[in-house]
Amino acid sequence: MAGAAATVLLATSGLSWSEDSLNVQLHPSGMVEVGREKVSLAIIDLNAHGVGWEYASQKDTKAKVTDLPGKKGKLFSGSFEIPKSEGGAIQYTETVRTLSEGLEIEYDLTMTKTMKLNGLQLSISLPEAQYAGKEIMISQLRNDPELVGIPKEHTEGRSQIWTGAGSRIELAKGTDDAVTIELRAPTDVLVQDLRQWESPFFEIRFPALTDYSGREISAGARFHIDLIVTFAAPVRLSKPQP
């Protein structure tokens, strides 16, 4: 779905922490890590799947980084190639602005050539160590909220925890690790257990596009993803590492 938009409330941190604040680490690609007290709590990145669900992410590239006016944040300009696309890539401009207790993040995406994609999405990855056994409350536009448990142990062959159109997501409510995702409009949401693929994370995914057969996207096609990320404590923005 093009133009996916969400407001995200997290409690998270990065690589060098302070006991009384959350650290937001911006990586050279624009990927965002958030943590607290030497514990990583969330990773936010733009990623895609080429034909055959071949994975690609912004984290594997290095973007051009400039300061926003007044040093209120960073502007990242980069691209990452899509596997099996004969050199096709997704160009992205990512703006990360600091707020009093969080971040405003915007992505503008452009396809460099006509190519097929199985998926294009923003992912929030949550470590198994912090969130296994916790609960997610998912509010929907026309249905009652659903309370979904995150499995403590992985069941082989089972990855999907919840999927549907969500308007608000509350994870580990009432704890120091609470994450609330407030969507500006009901948006497709997928919550899954990445331990199925031997990765110690859970993922909350906001698809801009999902097509199991592969969808042809024209050169020059554009997508927009817009997030406001606020936190349960003051944040400290770290400079992108070289």
Side-chain angles (χ1 to χ4, degrees), residues 70-122:
K71 295 187 176 180
K72 294 294 185 179
K74 300 289 182 181
L75 175 68
F76 296 84
S77 298
S79 67
F80 60 95
E81 291 191 5
I82 301 302
K84 299 182 179 179
S85 67
E86 299 182 355
I90 297 175
Q91 293 180 336
Y92 65 92
T93 299
E94 176 186 353
T95 304
V96 182
R97 295 184 179 89
T98 55
L99 304 174
S100 59
E101 293 184 349
L103 303 169
E104 180 180 13
I105 308 175
E106 294 185 35
Y107 300 84
D108 287 295
L109 318 176
T110 305
M111 308 296 115
T112 64
K113 64 177 295 183
T114 299
M115 55 187 165
K116 277 191 173 183
L117 294 175
N118 284 126
L120 173 61
Q121 56 270 329
L122 180 74

Side-chain angles (χ1 to χ4, degrees), residues 189-207:
V189 178
L190 171 63
V191 182
Q192 61 179 349
D193 188 340
L194 300 185
R195 294 176 295 183
Q196 172 67 22
W197 298 279
E198 299 183 356
S199 178
F201 290 90
F202 303 100
E203 177 192 15
I204 301 176
R205 176 183 293 185
F206 302 97

